[in-house]
Amino acid sequence: MRILHVSDTHLGAMPNGLLSRARDVYEAFKESIDIAIEERVQLYIHSGDFFDSPNPPPEAYIVAYRNLKKLKDHGIKVIVIAGQHDIPKRYASTPLFLLSDVGTIDILAVDKPIHTSINIDGSELEIVGVPYSSRSSISRVKPLKKPSILVAHLLLKEIGIPSEEADISINDFPDGFSYIALGDYHIKSVYRHSSGTPIVYPGATEIFKVNECCDKYVAIADIDNRNVDINFIKIQSVRPWIIIECRDLNTFSERLQQSIKELSLKSNKKPPIVIVNAYNVKVELIAKILDGLKLKRVIEYYRIRAEGEDKEIEMHIPSLENQYDMVSIDIVLKKIIQDDKLVELLSNFIKNPDRNTMALLVSYLRENPEVAKKLEKLYTRSIESFALNVDTDLKKDSNRSSEVRSTAGKRGILSYIG
């Protein structure tokens, strides 16, 4: 049987406060779905931090539902466990419950381990899921048969991260699993249990911090009773990064232009993010060069760090995240759905995602299948059109000051919902 293993998609994240980076996050997730379909996998495993927040923005729900539904339409089963970003700190419901209740997730582990079996083309596959909140119980979960997969969200001590959360060791895993699918660490890594079982982090699907640069992957595992064959497929939509030193302005400018030229020859045409480590050069002079490139839309974002000094400059951007949050959820939903009752239920769930608001929403959709059907058949272009208007308004606002660079793209934030 063939599985796709992905983790840390962080839907709803807006890295660097840029709308274009929010689109990057959605596009990378969509590509993981496309890869699953193209590779004819039978199982899509997500090992945590599906969302970036337990209260994600409306478009994150739409992106998740539409793309997971593609998997269901192709007969691909979906397993998800909750990471720390998926779980509310106060008593409330994780947004993953909604995706499960509408039928786009087959097996979900949120607040306790699960131990179950799933039928894949007539063969039984044992699944043990350990969410982030239950990671301390990892040594007590044991497989009953093969093939079997352990899915967990945790940091291994062997990674070497100085974190109190890295409290699980490879030796803590029990024997007997065919494949151990992990999430939480954002860099692709493969370890081996003493029994030979592969322990795999596919890494995040996008780059969120400079130390996570640069290539991103999903893992494809072919599993039978005896063997596991693992391959990694690179996510092509990930925005490129350029990490460069500056010791003198002339050499820096030449090297940067060369790097940009080399990127332009590749299939991914997104303007890169530029990270500069400056040595004995005024960061203000470097910023002037980069500001010019940003105005020409040659680069998307930059950050400059003066080595040996406690000084850092990043590109000045408008507070787009705050402006975007000011868009009324009710207005967005009415523009898209045009069903007052459904708008009310969705709005209540988004604002207060607990079991009660979720149950009312699901109950309404079940009692009104024509509404659910209409919701599924909404044209992507109508959503994109509204999001484009939002982007255009933000762009107009940001252009009022010569100090502020517009980061809204030509397409709306929902243009990657698939």
Side-chain angles (χ1 to χ4, degrees), residues 239-242 260 263 270-274 298-301:
R239 185 176 296 275
W241 286 47
I242 297 173
I260 292 171
L263 287 176
K270 292 181 178 179
I273 290 171
V274 178
V298 175
I299 66 174
E300 189 66 21
Y301 171 83

Side-chain angles (χ1 to χ4, degrees), residues 90-363:
R90 60 182 177 82
Y91 180 76
S93 180
T94 171
L96 293 172
F97 278 133
L98 178 61
L99 296 178
S100 178
D101 280 7
V102 298
T104 53
I105 294 177
D106 294 284
I107 296 174
L108 174 63
V110 172
D111 51 9
K112 60 183 179 181
I114 58 163
H115 200 143
T116 187
S117 293
I118 190 168
N119 188 284
I120 304 291
D121 292 343
S123 299
E124 289 296 312
L125 174 64
E126 186 180 16
I127 300 292
V128 178
V130 181
Y132 177 80
S133 58
S134 303
R135 65 193 186 282
S136 61
S137 66
I138 201 78
S139 61
R140 298 192 296 274
V141 297
K142 299 184 184 299
L144 302 176
K145 56 187 175 182
K146 280 196 173 184
S148 57
I149 296 177
L150 171 63
V151 188
H153 192 84
L154 53 84
L155 290 176
L156 287 173
K157 290 180 180 178
E158 285 78 4
I159 294 173
I161 296 177
S163 169
E164 294 180 358
E165 296 181 357
D167 55 0
I168 306 296
S169 175
I170 289 174
N171 296 328
D172 293 327
F173 292 110
D175 292 339
F177 287 103
S178 306
Y179 181 90
I180 298 177
L182 298 185
D184 201 13
Y185 188 46
H186 284 199
I187 300 173
K188 181 195 76 170
S189 306
V190 179
Y191 298 88
R192 289 279 174 179
H193 189 266
S194 57
S195 63
T197 299
I199 302 172
V200 179
Y201 286 103
T205 49
E206 244 294 342
I207 304 167
F208 297 95
K209 297 179 181 178
V210 65
N211 62 352
E212 299 172 12
C213 188
C214 281
D215 294 336
K216 293 298 169 185
Y217 302 87
V218 297
I220 301 289
D222 291 286
I223 302 173
D224 59 31
N225 288 328
R226 295 184 178 181
N227 301 307
V228 179
D229 184 28
I230 304 169
N231 292 289
F232 291 93
I233 296 180
K234 183 178 175 180
I235 299 175
Q236 299 296 329
S237 62
V238 174
R239 185 176 296 275
W241 286 47
I242 297 173
I243 301 174
I244 187 171
E245 291 185 354
C246 178
R247 297 180 183 273
D248 70 82
L249 287 176
N250 288 334
T251 303
F252 163 73
S253 182
E254 291 174 1
R255 289 181 57 211
L256 179 59
Q257 292 288 356
Q258 180 62 31
S259 296
I260 292 171
K261 182 178 179 181
E262 290 173 0
L263 287 176
S264 70
L265 300 176
K266 297 182 179 180
S267 59
N268 188 337
K269 302 297 184 183
K270 292 181 178 179
I273 290 171
V274 178
I275 305 297
V276 182
N277 295 313
Y279 296 84
N280 301 317
V281 179
K282 289 185 177 181
V283 293
E284 292 81 4
L285 296 177
I286 301 172
K288 187 175 181 179
I289 293 173
L290 297 174
D291 279 335
L293 294 174
K294 172 57 186 171
L295 280 173
K296 296 176 182 178
R297 302 190 67 82
V298 175
I299 66 174
E300 189 66 21
Y301 171 83
Y302 69 78
R303 179 177 293 164
I304 309 165
R305 181 174 181 271
E307 294 292 338
E309 302 178 32
D310 188 19
K311 189 173 185 180
E312 187 172 279
I313 289 182
E314 62 180 314
M315 186 182 77
H316 183 63
I317 59 174
S319 182
L320 287 180
E321 186 165 8
N322 291 335
Q323 293 182 58
Y324 184 76
D325 287 342
M326 289 174 62
V327 178
S328 167
I329 291 175
D330 292 344
I331 292 175
V332 173
L333 293 175
K334 285 180 181 178
K335 198 84 172 179
I336 296 173
I337 297 172
Q338 299 177 350
D339 182 299
D340 290 343
K341 182 61 177 178
L342 184 56
V343 167
E344 178 187 349
L345 293 170
L346 278 170
S347 178
N348 288 339
F349 175 76
I350 291 168
K351 295 173 183 176
N352 184 27
D354 58 25
R355 288 184 177 273
N356 182 51
T357 55
M358 178 179 64
L360 291 172
L361 173 60
V362 173
S363 175

Side-chain angles (χ1 to χ4, degrees), residues 4 31-41 44 71 76:
L4 183 144
E31 188 174 345
S32 78
I33 300 292
D34 293 341
I35 291 172
I37 295 169
E38 292 168 5
E39 291 293 318
R40 300 181 182 275
V41 305
Y44 181 95
L71 298 180
I76 300 171

